[in-house]
Amino acid sequence: MAHEAVLVPGDGVGPEVTGAARRVVDATGVPLRWEVREAGRGAFERVGDALPAGTLAAIRAAGACLKGPCETPPGSGLRNVNVALRQALGLFAGLRPCRLLPGVPSRYEAVDVVVVRESTEDLYVGVEFARGEAATRELVAFLEEAAGVQVRGDSGISVKAISAAASERIVRFAFEVARARGRRKVTAGHKGNIMKHTDGLFLEVARAVAAEHPDVAFEERIIDALTMALVQRPEAFEVVVLPNLYGDIVSELCAGIVGGPGVVPWAHLGEGVG
């Protein structure tokens, strides 16, 4: 019986790389029935929608999608097609295994790190206040009155939101990945020493979840020290779990030390869909 899968070629190099990836997947012998759908600039130019409802429905129905890079065209009404896709489908986990492959040039001899990134909140919630707008001035005044914090009047402001529920979900996912892949340690990256009510909450939840998994070692690293350690001794890390923004950066760093983003996989996963 063939499995349903959606193919979104995307824009730019998208059709070329997804075509190559499809040939590789088909060569495994796993029976797949591909349904080609659109998203990105090409979709916007053809049907006036950079993320058509039909594409989302097809991915939900199939549960699996192979997607090329999608450009977010001006005037589409979307801040970012890829972020909108993740939010619409509830793809809360970004998974990037970074393993050094034979024949790929690298400064290292052995790297095998799995980066787990929370993908629904943090600064990526997209709540921003532009410089000079009335709402921004009101927020600046509120912050000074309520928190005693003085923010320059010519500032733009972004809201960083981290919840206990999303933190627990992604940390549990990281421990499940560790167990499934035979990994012995999970590392949580954070800046809880400074951002005590956001990163601090993420760390508090991570500690609680780690206590339920005594068979897997747990450590916590402040994000700046973590990035330095990853460059110095990547072999010391197995699974690294991070909030959204740090996960975005660390996943690229780890890809870079094994040859670049062109030689590592990248999946966005949710409940029953990816």
Side-chain angles (χ1 to χ4, degrees):
M1 178 179 176
H3 301 278
E4 302 293 331
V6 174
L7 178 68
V8 177
D11 305 302
V13 300
E16 179 182 353
V17 296
T18 54
R22 176 178 174 176
R23 290 195 296 274
V24 172
V25 173
D26 288 340
T28 66
V30 175
L32 290 173
R33 183 181 297 111
W34 296 97
E35 180 180 354
V36 180
R37 291 282 181 165
E38 291 185 305
R41 174 178 287 277
F44 184 70
E45 292 174 349
R46 280 185 285 272
V47 302
D49 191 343
L51 189 57
T55 298
L56 291 172
I59 296 172
R60 289 191 186 99
C65 173
L66 175 63
K67 185 188 76 68
C70 293
E71 185 178 345
T72 306
S76 66
L78 299 176
R79 295 176 70 247
N80 183 279
V81 170
N82 303 292
V83 172
L85 179 67
R86 295 200 293 267
Q87 292 175 339
L89 297 175
L91 307 180
F92 67 90
L95 182 66
R96 174 169 272 180
C98 296
R99 175 183 296 173
L100 183 59
L101 300 175
V104 177
S106 173
R107 300 176 186 272
Y108 303 90
E109 294 182 357
V111 182
D112 193 358
V113 184
V114 180
V115 180
V116 176
R117 169 192 176 190
E118 202 288 321
S119 295
T120 66
E121 43 182 35
D122 195 0
L123 287 170
Y124 282 71
V125 294
V127 180
E128 295 191 292
F129 295 82
R131 180 189 67 171
E133 292 187 349
T136 310
R137 291 193 294 270
E138 292 176 11
L139 179 57
V140 168
F142 169 77
L143 291 173
E144 184 170 359
E145 179 181 351
V149 176
Q150 290 190 334
V151 178
R152 291 178 58 98
D154 59 351
S155 297
I157 300 175
S158 294
V159 174
K160 177 184 174 100
I162 289 182
S163 70
S167 298
E168 179 178 353
R169 181 173 60 180
I170 196 63
V171 175
R172 287 193 183 281
F173 179 87
F175 275 94
E176 291 169 4
V177 167
R179 281 178 168 171
R181 293 172 177 255
R183 303 304 173 100
R184 298 164 298 177
K185 183 174 69 174
V186 171
T187 303
H190 66 94
K191 194 69 175 176
N193 57 320
I194 302 298
M195 287 170 280
K196 301 182 184 300
H197 301 300
T198 50
D199 286 33
L201 176 59
F202 176 82
L203 182 57
E204 175 187 337
V205 171
R207 290 169 176 167
V209 173
E212 300 175 13
H213 299 78
D215 56 315
V216 180
F218 174 74
E219 67 172 0
E220 52 199 59
R221 296 279 189 119
I222 295 173
I223 187 63
D224 43 343
L226 172 61
T227 53
M228 180 182 69
L230 280 165
V231 171
Q232 290 180 322
R233 295 181 59 243
E235 69 277 5
F237 298 92
E238 298 190 33
V239 176
V240 182
V241 59
L242 308 115
N244 205 336
L245 180 62
Y246 306 148
D248 192 7
I249 296 168
V250 168
S251 65
E252 291 295 291
L253 182 151
C254 290
I257 64 179
V258 297
V263 295
V264 294
W266 186 226
H268 294 282
L269 307 172
E271 298 293 341
V273 63

